[in-house]
Amino acid sequence: MLHKNSSEESPATEGEQRAVSTQVDVEPTNPSALPGDDSRRGASWDLVQGPKNYVSLVSAQVAAALLSFGSVWLATHYLGADGYGGIVALIAASQLVLLLGVNWTSISLARFGCEEFIETGRIATTFWTRLAILIPNVLLVFALVPLWLPILSKLLHLPPNFLWLVLGLFLSNAFWVHLQQALQGAKLMRLQGWLLTFERVLIFAAICFLSFSGRISVFTVACVYFIGPLGASIAALFKLRKLIWPVASVDFPLLKRMLRFSLPIIPTAFVGFLSTNYLDALFILHFLSQVKLGIYAVTYQLVGLAQQLPLLAGYLVMPLFVTFQTGKQENRTLRFMKEVLPLLTLLWTLGCVLMAAAGWYLLPLVFGAKFSESGPLLWPLMAATTLAGPILMGYSPIATSTSSTYITMIGVSLGSLANLLLNFLLIPRFGLLGCAWATTAAYGINAIVVFLLVHRRILPGHTWTLQAMLPIVLGALYASMTGRNLGALGISLIVAALIGLAHRKSIVTGVKTLNEYKRFAIDPVSAAAN
């Protein structure tokens, strides 16, 4: 729990507090316990390396995005929207089992692994303790195949001979997620990003081979999506070997902490499924067709790739918040949330507005006239991505770092129920556009609930973060009602300018805070001395 401190006082006191807190950040957490070259364990490493880490992650994500679009283009070119929809259905089946069956404890590995890494320089205890939870979960999923497989096969129209492929996709991704969380806990974010790119390289290369050899089919392409996570997992395991070997015994007090941390995520995992594109896939197949699912999946992939930008920022922020908390520097977290995050949210909103306007023309140009329906879908889906931005960049990391996972549970639960109800009401009447707006409503409710709870339970006061996302919501409403892309762009930019003008003092403060950080990141020693 964070409390108000002297940084809330007069400008002179605030300036003194900033200087002190900046100097504190230069020193690593518990320096007496650190080996000489293990700077990753201190908060100063997160701050100094933050820009380089983020640029590296974004670069890796851009490369992965290009490879993903290449894979999708080849699949849709040779198999058509209907064939690609079948691949999406297979992947959705494995991801649903992963989401509902085993992922509920995955984030605890990053949370407590980071804490262990800061204190000891290893993550072995957390890694093997979480694995002791994962393995029984996986075995339970396999034992319950007769219960869940018929349901998914009926809902997603899966052929009966695809059982082992679904299980293989599930198993490879379950272990890959475990290793990704371990990499985050050890603050190896750059390595994680490039391993995700390596996964996409394997997938794209295999699909190219299948396409040019004439062996491409729904089954063979689906098999490729099993190979990618498997290859990335082998590489990650090799890189982590010094941090997790020798095998550590299960730490039962830690296991209890991880389970207590993860318990609110169990209902979140089940209810949260109701706000995912996998639920959208079920509704689209039921009310529309597999061709429509293919169109929606391609559009959603662009949106999902854009959402990686705040998600990657959250990957960096969560370990930083844990480091601040371990080093008793919670005031730094408070300053980020109140001074920096609203400004970043407004900039993120403007970026999403431009991506929605450009994507209106780009998707049909790249994927063909049959994807002309994708343009109008982008505005509400990019609005949903905008609403997810501050949650991923700040609110979710602070809830995780303070073990307040119940906040995520409440927000996801309410948003998911809204998505379920609105899919029923909107898809039969408005088609894919109704599905997109159901998703936007779910993200909006989740954002509002998490915002209110975090400021009530963890952070004092409120910010204008929610207002910063209003421009694209209004623009998306205009685009959906009129079908005019440029008009929606104009409305969004005008509203953004008005909001920026209303909060100009806060924006100036945010820019000054970022400038302080910039000086620290470039020259931490001289910045601390000043």
Side-chain angles (χ1 to χ4, degrees), residues 4-18 334 338-339:
K4 290 186 178 181
N5 50 54
S6 59
S7 65
E8 296 293 315
E9 299 174 6
S10 65
T13 304
E14 181 179 357
E16 294 170 1
Q17 178 66 30
R18 289 178 181 177
L334 176 62
K338 296 189 70 174
E339 298 176 6

Side-chain angles (χ1 to χ4, degrees), residues 396-409:
S396 181
I398 197 171
T400 300
S401 65
T402 57
S403 297
S404 303
T405 48
Y406 70 92
I407 292 178
T408 303
M409 178 189 71

Side-chain angles (χ1 to χ4, degrees), residues 104-434:
W104 60 284
T105 59
S106 62
I107 196 171
S108 67
L109 175 54
R111 166 64 181 85
F112 295 104
C114 183
E115 189 174 283
E116 180 187 354
F117 179 74
I118 292 168
E119 295 175 351
T120 69
R122 285 166 50 82
I123 60 168
T125 301
T126 311
F127 182 91
W128 296 105
T129 299
R130 196 267 165 168
L131 196 63
I133 303 172
L134 176 63
I135 292 175
N137 273 198
V138 170
L139 294 177
L140 182 62
V141 167
F142 275 74
L144 295 178
V145 165
L147 295 180
W148 57 260
L149 182 63
I151 298 173
L152 289 183
S153 296
K154 182 178 180 180
L155 291 174
L156 295 172
H157 308 291
L158 300 177
N161 59 333
F162 276 55
L163 166 62
W164 292 109
L165 183 54
V166 172
L167 291 177
L169 287 168
F170 155 73
L171 195 60
S172 64
N173 279 287
F175 192 56
W176 177 216
V177 168
H178 181 77
L179 290 168
Q180 287 183 63
Q181 296 296 329
L183 290 167
Q184 186 182 8
K187 298 187 181 182
L188 293 171
M189 294 86 162
R190 275 179 272 179
L191 176 60
Q192 180 186 0
W194 289 111
L195 285 177
L196 285 168
T197 304
F198 176 62
E199 175 193 3
R200 295 299 168 182
V201 168
L202 292 177
I203 292 173
F204 178 71
I207 292 179
C208 285
F209 172 77
L210 293 174
S211 301
F212 301 141
S213 64
R215 301 176 183 177
I216 190 167
S217 67
V218 173
F219 179 82
T220 56
V221 172
C223 288
V224 165
Y225 282 90
F226 163 79
I227 296 172
L230 183 61
S233 296
I234 294 172
L237 196 60
F238 177 78
K239 290 292 185 179
L240 284 168
R241 66 192 186 282
K242 294 181 180 179
L243 297 175
I244 63 176
W245 298 105
V247 176
S249 59
V250 175
D251 186 326
F252 287 99
L254 175 61
L255 186 143
K256 291 179 181 179
R257 291 179 66 199
M258 296 177 78
L259 290 176
R260 190 163 53 246
F261 172 90
S262 302
L263 282 176
I265 302 177
I266 297 177
T268 303
F270 281 88
V271 179
F273 157 68
L274 303 179
S275 64
T276 65
N277 59 315
Y278 303 118
L279 179 75
D280 295 341
L282 299 180
F283 277 99
I284 292 170
L285 287 173
H286 178 73
F287 288 113
L288 303 174
S289 67
Q290 202 167 60
V291 173
K292 293 291 187 181
L293 176 59
I295 294 172
Y296 188 83
V298 170
T299 310
Y300 200 95
Q301 183 155 351
L302 176 63
V303 174
L305 291 172
Q307 198 171 113
Q308 292 300 307
L309 295 175
L311 180 63
L312 294 175
Y315 278 155
L316 300 178
V317 169
M318 196 280 287
L320 176 62
F321 285 176
V322 173
T323 309
F324 282 157
Q325 183 177 334
T326 305
K328 309 300 181 184
Q329 302 174 40
E330 291 94 338
N331 61 302
R332 305 296 293 170
T333 301
L334 176 62
R335 286 193 61 199
F336 173 83
M337 296 295 293
K338 296 189 70 174
E339 298 176 6
V340 177
L341 187 59
L343 172 59
L344 293 181
T345 301
L346 182 61
L347 295 175
W348 171 240
T349 299
L350 291 173
C352 289
V353 165
L354 296 177
M355 283 187 280
W360 183 290
Y361 307 109
L362 182 63
L363 281 177
L365 180 65
V366 174
F367 292 99
K370 59 182 177 294
F371 287 92
S372 59
E373 194 174 354
S374 296
L377 293 177
L378 269 178
W379 273 99
L381 288 176
M382 288 306 301
T385 299
T386 301
L387 292 165
I391 304 301
L392 296 172
M393 288 188 288
Y395 287 92
S396 181
I398 197 171
T400 300
S401 65
T402 57
S403 297
S404 303
T405 48
Y406 70 92
I407 292 178
T408 303
M409 178 189 71
I410 296 173
V412 170
S413 297
L414 294 177
S416 299
L417 293 176
N419 188 52
L420 179 64
L421 177 62
L422 290 174
N423 269 326
F424 268 116
L425 297 176
L426 299 181
I427 292 180
R429 183 174 180 182
F430 299 105
L432 292 181
L433 191 60

